[in-house]
Amino acid sequence: MALTVSCGWAAAIYAAEIPADHLEGRWTSETGTSLTFQADHTFTSEHFAKLPVASLCNDPSALSSGRWAFYGPTETGKGYTAGEAVTHGSLLSLTFSADGCTVDTYLFGDEEDPAMCPTADPDEGCPPTEYLHRTNQPESHVTRQENVHP
């Protein structure tokens, strides 16, 4: 599957709003970048420095863990801000522990099969091989098949 995003309104048109429990688990790209999200709003990353957006941080090679939050409306209703109390969304803030660098991450597609794109500009999107897709979910989301004996 190839996702392309452009033309100004694309981020809003193709945005996938998901609940926090659907974010939990490991997300990977075809190029080997991965992000693993925990319910306690922490995350770990592997090979994040490969993504173009990592160049916005002081030390891209140190981007290995941090905290995540969805963006939601401010208390005044004017604008949006990232906050751990926000329980769902289509835009994440990733704040890396190493240097406090914050990277916006957009969710595209639909709730059942979203794609994640860490980028400074959602209208630029990500190269097709750098979108991250959920590769596993927490135990509570895994459908189990039980052995049934006649």
Side-chain angles (χ1 to χ4, degrees), residues 5-6 8 11 53 56 104 106 108 117-126 131:
V5 179
S6 61
V53 73
L56 300 174
D104 287 339
Y106 297 82
F108 297 107
C117 177
T119 182
D121 182 355
D123 291 325
E124 286 182 16
C126 287
Y131 280 93

Side-chain angles (χ1 to χ4, degrees), residues 3 26-37 44-46 48 51 94 105-108 113-118 126-135:
L3 269 171
R26 188 165 191 247
W27 296 65
T28 60
S29 72
E30 290 178 29
T31 59
T33 300
S34 73
L35 291 166
T36 303
F37 296 92
T44 57
S45 66
E46 294 178 10
F48 197 86
L51 300 178
L94 304 179
T105 302
Y106 297 82
L107 294 161
F108 297 107
D113 188 26
M116 183 180 292
C117 177
C126 287
T129 58
E130 292 179 0
Y131 280 93
L132 289 91
H133 297 272
R134 193 172 35 222
T135 56

Side-chain angles (χ1 to χ4, degrees), residues 54-145:
S55 67
L56 300 174
C57 298
N58 291 330
D59 185 4
S61 65
L63 304 178
S64 62
S65 65
R67 298 195 64 79
W68 66 269
F70 283 116
Y71 278 89
T74 62
E75 289 183 21
T76 63
K78 296 179 181 179
Y80 289 83
T81 187
E84 292 185 9
V86 181
T87 60
H88 61 280
S90 59
L91 175 57
L92 293 167
S93 171
L94 304 179
T95 302
F96 288 90
S97 301
D99 65 1
C101 180
T102 299
V103 174
D104 287 339
T105 302
Y106 297 82
L107 294 161
F108 297 107
D110 61 50
E111 182 180 332
E112 297 306 314
D113 188 26
M116 183 180 292
C117 177
T119 182
D121 182 355
D123 291 325
E124 286 182 16
C126 287
T129 58
E130 292 179 0
Y131 280 93
L132 289 91
H133 297 272
R134 193 172 35 222
T135 56
N136 69 10
Q137 295 179 325
E139 193 67 30
S140 63
H141 296 290
V142 177
T143 303
R144 294 179 185 235
Q145 292 182 351

Side-chain angles (χ1 to χ4, degrees), residues 146-150:
E146 295 188 24
N147 294 330
V148 177
H149 298 285

